[in-house]
Amino acid sequence: MRKKLLLLLLLPLTLTSCGNSHNTFNALKTNVDKIEKSSEHPYYKVIGRIDFNNEVIDVNATFDKQPNGTSFVPYARYNEGFYCAYAGDNAVTSEEDVVIYGMASRSYWLRVPLKIDKENFYVLDETNSINPTCAYANITKIIASWAGQEGSVNPSNVYPYFDVYADGSFAIGGDKVHTSFKIDNYPFYPDPNTHPEIGPWKERNPLPCYLNKVDAKVNIRFEYDSDGWLKREYLATIDYDYNKSIPSQLCLEAVYSYKFADLK
C-alpha cells in the first residue's frame, strides 16, 4: 500500500536539467578548483521523498549530533572523510583511514559526497589512475555503472553531463542512463535507538544496514552550491508517474540545508 507520511511534495520541482546545453568536464573542474577545502562541520537538514516498491515515504531529518572519531553516531552533523587518500595506491591503508572513510557523511539516498572541493573532487594516484574514493569517482560510478559494458542499454547515453552556472554552483547528472545503484536508508534511517532490530553497529565497518539494489534506466542529478555543498539529489525511472501505483517505478529526491554558525 502506498502511504504518505507527510504532506510535503518535492517531486514536481525542477526535476531535470534545463535543456541539453551542458558544459564540459574541464569547465566543471575549473569551477571546482576554485573551491577551497573547508574546516566547517555544519548541522544539516534533509527533506525528501521516495516512491519505491509501491510505497511513498517522506523524510524530514536533522543531523545535529556530535560525531565520534572512533564509532558511528546516527544523525551526526557533517563529518568529512569520504575521500581516502590511499585507496587507489599500493600502500597499505591505515586502520584510521578505513574508520574515517566508513563514518563520513554522505547524501541520504545515494551516498554521494555532501561536500566537494578542489582537494577531493578529482584525484589521481601514483599510477595516474583515478582514486576510486574521490568525489568524481563516487558520483560517476552511480551514473555510468553500465558504461561500455556488454548488455548496457543505449550505451551512448550512459555518460554523465556537467552544468556550471554563473554564480559558481554546479550539477552532475545523467539523462536516460542505464545504471545499477543502491538506495540507502529505505524504508527508514537505521538508527538503533528507534529500530532496535538493526542490532549494534560495527565500529570498524559502519556501513548501512539497509541496502536496496536497483538496475534501471533513469534520469539522475546532483546539484551543489558555489561552496561545494550538496543542495539536492534526484533520481527517477524513465516515464515515472507519481499518480500511478507501479511497483517497478522509482523516484527519490532530497534537498539539503546547512547551519554553519560556531560549528567548526
Side-chain angles (χ1 to χ4, degrees), residues 2-12 15 49-52 54-58 234 236-246 249-253:
R2 292 163 64 88
K3 64 178 180 180
K4 301 178 182 179
L5 302 185
L6 297 175
L7 295 178
L8 175 70
L9 182 60
L10 291 176
L11 299 179
L15 297 187
R49 164 170 288 181
I50 185 169
D51 184 349
F52 185 46
N54 205 25
E55 180 180 47
V56 177
I57 296 177
D58 290 293
Y234 166 79
T237 47
I238 305 304
D239 297 326
Y240 169 78
D241 186 343
Y242 178 78
N243 295 308
K244 295 180 179 180
S245 297
I246 305 174
Q249 72 174 4
L250 161 69
C251 187
L252 60 84
E253 182 176 36

PDB file of all heavy atoms in Angstrom, residues 2-12 15 49-52 54-58 234 236-246 249-253:
ATOM      1  N   ARG A   2       0.547   2.192  -0.834  1.00  0.00           N
ATOM      2  CA  ARG A   2       1.279   3.450  -0.852  1.00  0.00           C
ATOM      3  C   ARG A   2       0.830   4.280   0.340  1.00  0.00           C
ATOM      4  O   ARG A   2      -0.345   4.399   0.642  1.00  0.00           O
ATOM      5  CB  ARG A   2       0.978   4.222  -2.139  1.00  0.00           C
ATOM      6  CG  ARG A   2       1.543   3.554  -3.376  1.00  0.00           C
ATOM      7  CD  ARG A   2       0.872   4.105  -4.608  1.00  0.00           C
ATOM      8  NE  ARG A   2       1.153   5.511  -4.801  1.00  0.00           N
ATOM      9  CZ  ARG A   2       2.211   5.988  -5.459  1.00  0.00           C
ATOM     10  NH1 ARG A   2       3.107   5.148  -5.920  1.00  0.00           N
ATOM     11  NH2 ARG A   2       2.374   7.276  -5.637  1.00  0.00           N
ATOM     12  N   LYS A   3       1.792   4.882   1.034  1.00  0.00           N
ATOM     13  CA  LYS A   3       1.406   5.722   2.161  1.00  0.00           C
ATOM     14  C   LYS A   3       2.201   7.018   2.128  1.00  0.00           C
ATOM     15  O   LYS A   3       3.318   7.075   1.650  1.00  0.00           O
ATOM     16  CB  LYS A   3       1.641   5.004   3.484  1.00  0.00           C
ATOM     17  CG  LYS A   3       3.098   4.687   3.794  1.00  0.00           C
ATOM     18  CD  LYS A   3       3.201   4.025   5.161  1.00  0.00           C
ATOM     19  CE  LYS A   3       4.656   3.701   5.493  1.00  0.00           C
ATOM     20  NZ  LYS A   3       4.786   3.062   6.809  1.00  0.00           N
ATOM     21  N   LYS A   4       1.604   8.085   2.637  1.00  0.00           N
ATOM     22  CA  LYS A   4       2.241   9.385   2.699  1.00  0.00           C
ATOM     23  C   LYS A   4       2.437   9.738   4.167  1.00  0.00           C
ATOM     24  O   LYS A   4       1.480   9.857   4.921  1.00  0.00           O
ATOM     25  CB  LYS A   4       1.392  10.439   2.006  1.00  0.00           C
ATOM     26  CG  LYS A   4       1.133  10.124   0.532  1.00  0.00           C
ATOM     27  CD  LYS A   4       0.253  11.181  -0.106  1.00  0.00           C
ATOM     28  CE  LYS A   4      -0.051  10.835  -1.558  1.00  0.00           C
ATOM     29  NZ  LYS A   4      -0.924  11.832  -2.201  1.00  0.00           N
ATOM     30  N   LEU A   5       3.704   9.917   4.558  1.00  0.00           N
ATOM     31  CA  LEU A   5       3.980  10.194   5.953  1.00  0.00           C
ATOM     32  C   LEU A   5       3.883  11.681   6.261  1.00  0.00           C
ATOM     33  O   LEU A   5       3.652  12.075   7.393  1.00  0.00           O
ATOM     34  CB  LEU A   5       5.370   9.673   6.316  1.00  0.00           C
ATOM     35  CG  LEU A   5       5.578   8.168   6.088  1.00  0.00           C
ATOM     36  CD1 LEU A   5       6.935   7.758   6.605  1.00  0.00           C
ATOM     37  CD2 LEU A   5       4.487   7.360   6.756  1.00  0.00           C
ATOM     38  N   LEU A   6       4.093  12.524   5.242  1.00  0.00           N
ATOM     39  CA  LEU A   6       3.995  13.969   5.410  1.00  0.00           C
ATOM     40  C   LEU A   6       3.257  14.543   4.212  1.00  0.00           C
ATOM     41  O   LEU A   6       3.097  13.879   3.187  1.00  0.00           O
ATOM     42  CB  LEU A   6       5.401  14.600   5.501  1.00  0.00           C
ATOM     43  CG  LEU A   6       6.263  14.179   6.702  1.00  0.00           C
ATOM     44  CD1 LEU A   6       7.638  14.786   6.558  1.00  0.00           C
ATOM     45  CD2 LEU A   6       5.637  14.624   7.998  1.00  0.00           C
ATOM     46  N   LEU A   7       2.839  15.792   4.327  1.00  0.00           N
ATOM     47  CA  LEU A   7       2.146  16.433   3.217  1.00  0.00           C
ATOM     48  C   LEU A   7       3.113  17.037   2.214  1.00  0.00           C
ATOM     49  O   LEU A   7       2.711  17.496   1.155  1.00  0.00           O
ATOM     50  CB  LEU A   7       1.207  17.529   3.750  1.00  0.00           C
ATOM     51  CG  LEU A   7       0.042  17.021   4.607  1.00  0.00           C
ATOM     52  CD1 LEU A   7      -0.775  18.210   5.110  1.00  0.00           C
ATOM     53  CD2 LEU A   7      -0.845  16.070   3.827  1.00  0.00           C
ATOM     54  N   LEU A   8       4.402  17.048   2.562  1.00  0.00           N
ATOM     55  CA  LEU A   8       5.411  17.643   1.709  1.00  0.00           C
ATOM     56  C   LEU A   8       5.408  16.997   0.331  1.00  0.00           C
ATOM     57  O   LEU A   8       5.343  15.796   0.198  1.00  0.00           O
ATOM     58  CB  LEU A   8       6.787  17.449   2.350  1.00  0.00           C
ATOM     59  CG  LEU A   8       7.992  17.901   1.526  1.00  0.00           C
ATOM     60  CD1 LEU A   8       8.001  19.409   1.437  1.00  0.00           C
ATOM     61  CD2 LEU A   8       9.260  17.385   2.151  1.00  0.00           C
ATOM     62  N   LEU A   9       5.496  17.805  -0.699  1.00  0.00           N
ATOM     63  CA  LEU A   9       5.586  17.286  -2.056  1.00  0.00           C
ATOM     64  C   LEU A   9       6.718  18.003  -2.770  1.00  0.00           C
ATOM     65  O   LEU A   9       6.592  19.135  -3.195  1.00  0.00           O
ATOM     66  CB  LEU A   9       4.268  17.507  -2.819  1.00  0.00           C
ATOM     67  CG  LEU A   9       4.228  16.956  -4.249  1.00  0.00           C
ATOM     68  CD1 LEU A   9       4.454  15.453  -4.224  1.00  0.00           C
ATOM     69  CD2 LEU A   9       2.896  17.266  -4.903  1.00  0.00           C
ATOM     70  N   LEU A  10       7.856  17.320  -2.895  1.00  0.00           N
ATOM     71  CA  LEU A  10       9.023  17.929  -3.522  1.00  0.00           C
ATOM     72  C   LEU A  10       9.145  17.557  -4.989  1.00  0.00           C
ATOM     73  O   LEU A  10       9.712  18.295  -5.778  1.00  0.00           O
ATOM     74  CB  LEU A  10      10.298  17.443  -2.811  1.00  0.00           C
ATOM     75  CG  LEU A  10      10.508  17.935  -1.381  1.00  0.00           C
ATOM     76  CD1 LEU A  10      11.746  17.279  -0.807  1.00  0.00           C
ATOM     77  CD2 LEU A  10      10.642  19.438  -1.336  1.00  0.00           C
ATOM     78  N   LEU A  11       8.625  16.419  -5.371  1.00  0.00           N
ATOM     79  CA  LEU A  11       8.962  15.847  -6.661  1.00  0.00           C
ATOM     80  C   LEU A  11       8.620  16.701  -7.868  1.00  0.00           C
ATOM     81  O   LEU A  11       9.335  16.657  -8.856  1.00  0.00           O
ATOM     82  CB  LEU A  11       8.303  14.470  -6.797  1.00  0.00           C
ATOM     83  CG  LEU A  11       8.768  13.486  -5.726  1.00  0.00           C
ATOM     84  CD1 LEU A  11       8.062  12.158  -5.917  1.00  0.00           C
ATOM     85  CD2 LEU A  11      10.261  13.296  -5.781  1.00  0.00           C
ATOM     86  N   PRO A  12       7.540  17.496  -7.889  1.00  0.00           N
ATOM     87  CA  PRO A  12       7.255  18.280  -9.085  1.00  0.00           C
ATOM     88  C   PRO A  12       8.255  19.402  -9.344  1.00  0.00           C
ATOM     89  O   PRO A  12       8.233  20.016 -10.408  1.00  0.00           O
ATOM     90  CB  PRO A  12       5.872  18.871  -8.804  1.00  0.00           C
ATOM     91  CG  PRO A  12       5.275  17.941  -7.810  1.00  0.00           C
ATOM     92  CD  PRO A  12       6.427  17.540  -6.947  1.00  0.00           C
ATOM     93  N   LEU A  15      12.746  18.903 -11.992  1.00  0.00           N
ATOM     94  CA  LEU A  15      13.169  17.511 -11.927  1.00  0.00           C
ATOM     95  C   LEU A  15      14.341  17.188 -12.831  1.00  0.00           C
ATOM     96  O   LEU A  15      15.097  16.288 -12.557  1.00  0.00           O
ATOM     97  CB  LEU A  15      11.991  16.602 -12.304  1.00  0.00           C
ATOM     98  CG  LEU A  15      10.792  16.684 -11.355  1.00  0.00           C
ATOM     99  CD1 LEU A  15       9.779  15.629 -11.733  1.00  0.00           C
ATOM    100  CD2 LEU A  15      11.218  16.490  -9.912  1.00  0.00           C
ATOM    101  N   ARG A  49      11.730  12.685  -0.275  1.00  0.00           N
ATOM    102  CA  ARG A  49      10.672  11.711  -0.520  1.00  0.00           C
ATOM    103  C   ARG A  49      11.218  10.602  -1.403  1.00  0.00           C
ATOM    104  O   ARG A  49      12.081  10.822  -2.256  1.00  0.00           O
ATOM    105  CB  ARG A  49       9.481  12.384  -1.192  1.00  0.00           C
ATOM    106  CG  ARG A  49       8.491  11.418  -1.827  1.00  0.00           C
ATOM    107  CD  ARG A  49       7.219  12.108  -2.270  1.00  0.00           C
ATOM    108  NE  ARG A  49       6.417  12.488  -1.101  1.00  0.00           N
ATOM    109  CZ  ARG A  49       5.243  13.092  -1.192  1.00  0.00           C
ATOM    110  NH1 ARG A  49       4.739  13.408  -2.368  1.00  0.00           N
ATOM    111  NH2 ARG A  49       4.569  13.398  -0.094  1.00  0.00           N
ATOM    112  N   ILE A  50      10.681   9.407  -1.186  1.00  0.00           N
ATOM    113  CA  ILE A  50      10.991   8.287  -2.074  1.00  0.00           C
ATOM    114  C   ILE A  50       9.695   7.555  -2.400  1.00  0.00           C
ATOM    115  O   ILE A  50       8.844   7.349  -1.527  1.00  0.00           O
ATOM    116  CB  ILE A  50      12.020   7.319  -1.440  1.00  0.00           C
ATOM    117  CG1 ILE A  50      12.410   6.224  -2.445  1.00  0.00           C
ATOM    118  CG2 ILE A  50      11.485   6.718  -0.142  1.00  0.00           C
ATOM    119  CD1 ILE A  50      13.606   5.397  -1.989  1.00  0.00           C
ATOM    120  N   ASP A  51       9.527   7.196  -3.656  1.00  0.00           N
ATOM    121  CA  ASP A  51       8.419   6.374  -4.128  1.00  0.00           C
ATOM    122  C   ASP A  51       9.061   5.105  -4.673  1.00  0.00           C
ATOM    123  O   ASP A  51       9.660   5.110  -5.756  1.00  0.00           O
ATOM    124  CB  ASP A  51       7.643   7.118  -5.216  1.00  0.00           C
ATOM    125  CG  ASP A  51       6.404   6.344  -5.683  1.00  0.00           C
ATOM    126  OD1 ASP A  51       6.275   5.163  -5.321  1.00  0.00           O
ATOM    127  OD2 ASP A  51       5.583   6.935  -6.416  1.00  0.00           O
ATOM    128  N   PHE A  52       8.962   4.022  -3.906  1.00  0.00           N
ATOM    129  CA  PHE A  52       9.696   2.790  -4.224  1.00  0.00           C
ATOM    130  C   PHE A  52       8.893   1.598  -3.727  1.00  0.00           C
ATOM    131  O   PHE A  52       8.292   1.648  -2.655  1.00  0.00           O
ATOM    132  CB  PHE A  52      11.064   2.850  -3.539  1.00  0.00           C
ATOM    133  CG  PHE A  52      11.993   1.706  -3.856  1.00  0.00           C
ATOM    134  CD1 PHE A  52      12.171   1.269  -5.162  1.00  0.00           C
ATOM    135  CD2 PHE A  52      12.709   1.082  -2.850  1.00  0.00           C
ATOM    136  CE1 PHE A  52      13.051   0.234  -5.460  1.00  0.00           C
ATOM    137  CE2 PHE A  52      13.591   0.048  -3.127  1.00  0.00           C
ATOM    138  CZ  PHE A  52      13.756  -0.379  -4.440  1.00  0.00           C
ATOM    139  N   ASN A  54       6.111   0.564  -4.597  1.00  0.00           N
ATOM    140  CA  ASN A  54       4.696   0.925  -4.461  1.00  0.00           C
ATOM    141  C   ASN A  54       4.380   1.546  -3.098  1.00  0.00           C
ATOM    142  O   ASN A  54       3.277   1.397  -2.568  1.00  0.00           O
ATOM    143  CB  ASN A  54       3.799  -0.296  -4.691  1.00  0.00           C
ATOM    144  CG  ASN A  54       2.408   0.097  -5.156  1.00  0.00           C
ATOM    145  OD1 ASN A  54       2.211   1.169  -5.732  1.00  0.00           O
ATOM    146  ND2 ASN A  54       1.440  -0.759  -4.907  1.00  0.00           N
ATOM    147  N   GLU A  55       5.331   2.259  -2.539  1.00  0.00           N
ATOM    148  CA  GLU A  55       5.149   2.923  -1.253  1.00  0.00           C
ATOM    149  C   GLU A  55       5.822   4.291  -1.307  1.00  0.00           C
ATOM    150  O   GLU A  55       6.923   4.430  -1.832  1.00  0.00           O
ATOM    151  CB  GLU A  55       5.765   2.088  -0.138  1.00  0.00           C
ATOM    152  CG  GLU A  55       5.633   2.708   1.245  1.00  0.00           C
ATOM    153  CD  GLU A  55       6.270   1.840   2.312  1.00  0.00           C
ATOM    154  OE1 GLU A  55       7.409   1.394   2.105  1.00  0.00           O
ATOM    155  OE2 GLU A  55       5.622   1.615   3.349  1.00  0.00           O
ATOM    156  N   VAL A  56       5.146   5.297  -0.775  1.00  0.00           N
ATOM    157  CA  VAL A  56       5.703   6.645  -0.730  1.00  0.00           C
ATOM    158  C   VAL A  56       6.079   6.971   0.713  1.00  0.00           C
ATOM    159  O   VAL A  56       5.246   6.871   1.613  1.00  0.00           O
ATOM    160  CB  VAL A  56       4.698   7.691  -1.254  1.00  0.00           C
ATOM    161  CG1 VAL A  56       5.298   9.096  -1.130  1.00  0.00           C
ATOM    162  CG2 VAL A  56       4.345   7.399  -2.710  1.00  0.00           C
ATOM    163  N   ILE A  57       7.336   7.357   0.922  1.00  0.00           N
ATOM    164  CA  ILE A  57       7.813   7.697   2.258  1.00  0.00           C
ATOM    165  C   ILE A  57       8.455   9.076   2.213  1.00  0.00           C
ATOM    166  O   ILE A  57       9.276   9.374   1.341  1.00  0.00           O
ATOM    167  CB  ILE A  57       8.845   6.672   2.760  1.00  0.00           C
ATOM    168  CG1 ILE A  57       8.194   5.302   2.918  1.00  0.00           C
ATOM    169  CG2 ILE A  57       9.451   7.114   4.088  1.00  0.00           C
ATOM    170  CD1 ILE A  57       9.155   4.210   3.343  1.00  0.00           C
ATOM    171  N   ASP A  58       8.079   9.938   3.154  1.00  0.00           N
ATOM    172  CA  ASP A  58       8.670  11.269   3.271  1.00  0.00           C
ATOM    173  C   ASP A  58       9.721  11.275   4.381  1.00  0.00           C
ATOM    174  O   ASP A  58       9.624  10.536   5.361  1.00  0.00           O
ATOM    175  CB  ASP A  58       7.587  12.302   3.578  1.00  0.00           C
ATOM    176  CG  ASP A  58       6.677  12.537   2.386  1.00  0.00           C
ATOM    177  OD1 ASP A  58       7.169  13.080   1.383  1.00  0.00           O
ATOM    178  OD2 ASP A  58       5.495  12.170   2.456  1.00  0.00           O
ATOM    179  N   TYR A 234      18.494  13.786  -6.930  1.00  0.00           N
ATOM    180  CA  TYR A 234      17.241  13.388  -7.567  1.00  0.00           C
ATOM    181  C   TYR A 234      17.495  12.215  -8.498  1.00  0.00           C
ATOM    182  O   TYR A 234      18.506  12.169  -9.218  1.00  0.00           O
ATOM    183  CB  TYR A 234      16.655  14.560  -8.363  1.00  0.00           C
ATOM    184  CG  TYR A 234      15.549  14.133  -9.306  1.00  0.00           C
ATOM    185  CD1 TYR A 234      14.267  13.905  -8.835  1.00  0.00           C
ATOM    186  CD2 TYR A 234      15.807  13.929 -10.659  1.00  0.00           C
ATOM    187  CE1 TYR A 234      13.255  13.484  -9.695  1.00  0.00           C
ATOM    188  CE2 TYR A 234      14.807  13.513 -11.529  1.00  0.00           C
ATOM    189  CZ  TYR A 234      13.536  13.286 -11.036  1.00  0.00           C
ATOM    190  OH  TYR A 234      12.546  12.869 -11.878  1.00  0.00           O
ATOM    191  N   ALA A 236      14.932   9.303 -10.939  1.00  0.00           N
ATOM    192  CA  ALA A 236      13.623   8.734 -11.267  1.00  0.00           C
ATOM    193  C   ALA A 236      13.737   7.832 -12.479  1.00  0.00           C
ATOM    194  O   ALA A 236      14.497   8.111 -13.412  1.00  0.00           O
ATOM    195  CB  ALA A 236      12.610   9.838 -11.544  1.00  0.00           C
ATOM    196  N   THR A 237      13.000   6.743 -12.455  1.00  0.00           N
ATOM    197  CA  THR A 237      12.948   5.881 -13.619  1.00  0.00           C
ATOM    198  C   THR A 237      12.244   6.616 -14.762  1.00  0.00           C
ATOM    199  O   THR A 237      11.436   7.516 -14.542  1.00  0.00           O
ATOM    200  CB  THR A 237      12.201   4.576 -13.298  1.00  0.00           C
ATOM    201  OG1 THR A 237      10.973   4.882 -12.606  1.00  0.00           O
ATOM    202  CG2 THR A 237      13.041   3.674 -12.413  1.00  0.00           C
ATOM    203  N   ILE A 238      12.583   6.215 -15.985  1.00  0.00           N
ATOM    204  CA  ILE A 238      12.026   6.872 -17.163  1.00  0.00           C
ATOM    205  C   ILE A 238      10.500   6.735 -17.163  1.00  0.00           C
ATOM    206  O   ILE A 238       9.950   5.695 -16.833  1.00  0.00           O
ATOM    207  CB  ILE A 238      12.600   6.245 -18.453  1.00  0.00           C
ATOM    208  CG1 ILE A 238      14.133   6.302 -18.420  1.00  0.00           C
ATOM    209  CG2 ILE A 238      12.073   6.980 -19.687  1.00  0.00           C
ATOM    210  CD1 ILE A 238      14.709   7.681 -18.234  1.00  0.00           C
ATOM    211  N   ASP A 239       9.823   7.828 -17.499  1.00  0.00           N
ATOM    212  CA  ASP A 239       8.361   7.878 -17.551  1.00  0.00           C
ATOM    213  C   ASP A 239       7.716   7.678 -16.188  1.00  0.00           C
ATOM    214  O   ASP A 239       6.570   7.215 -16.083  1.00  0.00           O
ATOM    215  CB  ASP A 239       7.809   6.824 -18.535  1.00  0.00           C
ATOM    216  CG  ASP A 239       8.269   7.081 -19.961  1.00  0.00           C
ATOM    217  OD1 ASP A 239       8.422   8.260 -20.328  1.00  0.00           O
ATOM    218  OD2 ASP A 239       8.492   6.107 -20.705  1.00  0.00           O
ATOM    219  N   TYR A 240       8.436   8.039 -15.134  1.00  0.00           N
ATOM    220  CA  TYR A 240       7.864   7.951 -13.791  1.00  0.00           C
ATOM    221  C   TYR A 240       6.604   8.815 -13.703  1.00  0.00           C
ATOM    222  O   TYR A 240       6.564   9.942 -14.183  1.00  0.00           O
ATOM    223  CB  TYR A 240       8.875   8.433 -12.750  1.00  0.00           C
ATOM    224  CG  TYR A 240       8.263   8.627 -11.374  1.00  0.00           C
ATOM    225  CD1 TYR A 240       8.014   7.546 -10.547  1.00  0.00           C
ATOM    226  CD2 TYR A 240       7.895   9.902 -10.936  1.00  0.00           C
ATOM    227  CE1 TYR A 240       7.423   7.723  -9.306  1.00  0.00           C
ATOM    228  CE2 TYR A 240       7.306  10.089  -9.697  1.00  0.00           C
ATOM    229  CZ  TYR A 240       7.074   8.992  -8.879  1.00  0.00           C
ATOM    230  OH  TYR A 240       6.487   9.168  -7.654  1.00  0.00           O
ATOM    231  N   ASP A 241       5.561   8.277 -13.067  1.00  0.00           N
ATOM    232  CA  ASP A 241       4.298   8.999 -12.896  1.00  0.00           C
ATOM    233  C   ASP A 241       3.849   8.839 -11.448  1.00  0.00           C
ATOM    234  O   ASP A 241       3.460   7.743 -11.024  1.00  0.00           O
ATOM    235  CB  ASP A 241       3.238   8.451 -13.852  1.00  0.00           C
ATOM    236  CG  ASP A 241       1.948   9.262 -13.828  1.00  0.00           C
ATOM    237  OD1 ASP A 241       1.733  10.034 -12.870  1.00  0.00           O
ATOM    238  OD2 ASP A 241       1.141   9.118 -14.777  1.00  0.00           O
ATOM    239  N   TYR A 242       3.880   9.934 -10.697  1.00  0.00           N
ATOM    240  CA  TYR A 242       3.514   9.886  -9.284  1.00  0.00           C
ATOM    241  C   TYR A 242       2.092   9.392  -9.055  1.00  0.00           C
ATOM    242  O   TYR A 242       1.785   8.777  -8.037  1.00  0.00           O
ATOM    243  CB  TYR A 242       3.674  11.278  -8.664  1.00  0.00           C
ATOM    244  CG  TYR A 242       3.266  11.340  -7.214  1.00  0.00           C
ATOM    245  CD1 TYR A 242       4.103  10.867  -6.213  1.00  0.00           C
ATOM    246  CD2 TYR A 242       2.025  11.850  -6.846  1.00  0.00           C
ATOM    247  CE1 TYR A 242       3.730  10.914  -4.876  1.00  0.00           C
ATOM    248  CE2 TYR A 242       1.629  11.900  -5.516  1.00  0.00           C
ATOM    249  CZ  TYR A 242       2.492  11.430  -4.539  1.00  0.00           C
ATOM    250  OH  TYR A 242       2.112  11.464  -3.226  1.00  0.00           O
ATOM    251  N   ASN A 243       1.223   9.620 -10.013  1.00  0.00           N
ATOM    252  CA  ASN A 243      -0.191   9.276  -9.850  1.00  0.00           C
ATOM    253  C   ASN A 243      -0.473   7.796 -10.109  1.00  0.00           C
ATOM    254  O   ASN A 243      -1.609   7.349  -9.944  1.00  0.00           O
ATOM    255  CB  ASN A 243      -1.047  10.125 -10.785  1.00  0.00           C
ATOM    256  CG  ASN A 243      -0.982  11.598 -10.426  1.00  0.00           C
ATOM    257  OD1 ASN A 243      -1.192  11.969  -9.279  1.00  0.00           O
ATOM    258  ND2 ASN A 243      -0.658  12.434 -11.406  1.00  0.00           N
ATOM    259  N   LYS A 244       0.545   7.043 -10.529  1.00  0.00           N
ATOM    260  CA  LYS A 244       0.350   5.630 -10.806  1.00  0.00           C
ATOM    261  C   LYS A 244       1.033   4.770  -9.740  1.00  0.00           C
ATOM    262  O   LYS A 244       2.102   5.108  -9.251  1.00  0.00           O
ATOM    263  CB  LYS A 244       0.915   5.276 -12.186  1.00  0.00           C
ATOM    264  CG  LYS A 244       0.186   5.948 -13.341  1.00  0.00           C
ATOM    265  CD  LYS A 244       0.783   5.551 -14.682  1.00  0.00           C
ATOM    266  CE  LYS A 244       0.035   6.203 -15.835  1.00  0.00           C
ATOM    267  NZ  LYS A 244       0.619   5.827 -17.154  1.00  0.00           N
ATOM    268  N   SER A 245       0.380   3.671  -9.373  1.00  0.00           N
ATOM    269  CA  SER A 245       0.942   2.727  -8.410  1.00  0.00           C
ATOM    270  C   SER A 245       1.577   1.571  -9.172  1.00  0.00           C
ATOM    271  O   SER A 245       0.934   0.565  -9.468  1.00  0.00           O
ATOM    272  CB  SER A 245      -0.152   2.205  -7.472  1.00  0.00           C
ATOM    273  OG  SER A 245      -0.698   3.258  -6.707  1.00  0.00           O
ATOM    274  N   ILE A 246       2.836   1.741  -9.504  1.00  0.00           N
ATOM    275  CA  ILE A 246       3.568   0.730 -10.279  1.00  0.00           C
ATOM    276  C   ILE A 246       4.803   0.320  -9.473  1.00  0.00           C
ATOM    277  O   ILE A 246       5.722   1.128  -9.287  1.00  0.00           O
ATOM    278  CB  ILE A 246       4.000   1.285 -11.650  1.00  0.00           C
ATOM    279  CG1 ILE A 246       2.787   1.819 -12.412  1.00  0.00           C
ATOM    280  CG2 ILE A 246       4.724   0.215 -12.451  1.00  0.00           C
ATOM    281  CD1 ILE A 246       3.156   2.505 -13.720  1.00  0.00           C
ATOM    282  N   GLN A 249       8.423   1.188 -10.750  1.00  0.00           N
ATOM    283  CA  GLN A 249       8.928   2.551 -10.927  1.00  0.00           C
ATOM    284  C   GLN A 249       9.513   3.077  -9.626  1.00  0.00           C
ATOM    285  O   GLN A 249       9.186   2.627  -8.532  1.00  0.00           O
ATOM    286  CB  GLN A 249       7.839   3.472 -11.454  1.00  0.00           C
ATOM    287  CG  GLN A 249       6.749   3.831 -10.476  1.00  0.00           C
ATOM    288  CD  GLN A 249       5.793   4.873 -11.051  1.00  0.00           C
ATOM    289  OE1 GLN A 249       5.891   5.286 -12.207  1.00  0.00           O
ATOM    290  NE2 GLN A 249       4.855   5.320 -10.237  1.00  0.00           N
ATOM    291  N   LEU A 250      10.384   4.059  -9.764  1.00  0.00           N
ATOM    292  CA  LEU A 250      11.107   4.606  -8.612  1.00  0.00           C
ATOM    293  C   LEU A 250      11.334   6.088  -8.809  1.00  0.00           C
ATOM    294  O   LEU A 250      11.645   6.546  -9.909  1.00  0.00           O
ATOM    295  CB  LEU A 250      12.459   3.894  -8.466  1.00  0.00           C
ATOM    296  CG  LEU A 250      13.545   4.587  -7.641  1.00  0.00           C
ATOM    297  CD1 LEU A 250      13.165   4.617  -6.172  1.00  0.00           C
ATOM    298  CD2 LEU A 250      14.892   3.891  -7.833  1.00  0.00           C
ATOM    299  N   CYS A 251      11.163   6.843  -7.752  1.00  0.00           N
ATOM    300  CA  CYS A 251      11.560   8.246  -7.754  1.00  0.00           C
ATOM    301  C   CYS A 251      12.017   8.608  -6.345  1.00  0.00           C
ATOM    302  O   CYS A 251      11.376   8.228  -5.358  1.00  0.00           O
ATOM    303  CB  CYS A 251      10.396   9.152  -8.168  1.00  0.00           C
ATOM    304  SG  CYS A 251      10.894  10.883  -8.380  1.00  0.00           S
ATOM    305  N   LEU A 252      13.138   9.279  -6.257  1.00  0.00           N
ATOM    306  CA  LEU A 252      13.631   9.742  -4.963  1.00  0.00           C
ATOM    307  C   LEU A 252      14.201  11.138  -5.111  1.00  0.00           C
ATOM    308  O   LEU A 252      14.697  11.514  -6.168  1.00  0.00           O
ATOM    309  CB  LEU A 252      14.666   8.779  -4.382  1.00  0.00           C
ATOM    310  CG  LEU A 252      15.960   8.519  -5.176  1.00  0.00           C
ATOM    311  CD1 LEU A 252      17.030   9.574  -4.914  1.00  0.00           C
ATOM    312  CD2 LEU A 252      16.495   7.135  -4.825  1.00  0.00           C
ATOM    313  N   GLU A 253      14.116  11.908  -4.042  1.00  0.00           N
ATOM    314  CA  GLU A 253      14.650  13.257  -4.035  1.00  0.00           C
ATOM    315  C   GLU A 253      14.935  13.665  -2.599  1.00  0.00           C
ATOM    316  O   GLU A 253      14.254  13.242  -1.666  1.00  0.00           O
ATOM    317  CB  GLU A 253      13.671  14.240  -4.664  1.00  0.00           C
ATOM    318  CG  GLU A 253      14.218  15.673  -4.710  1.00  0.00           C
ATOM    319  CD  GLU A 253      13.276  16.637  -5.430  1.00  0.00           C
ATOM    320  OE1 GLU A 253      12.051  16.463  -5.288  1.00  0.00           O
ATOM    321  OE2 GLU A 253      13.759  17.545  -6.114  1.00  0.00           O
TER     322      GLU A 253
END
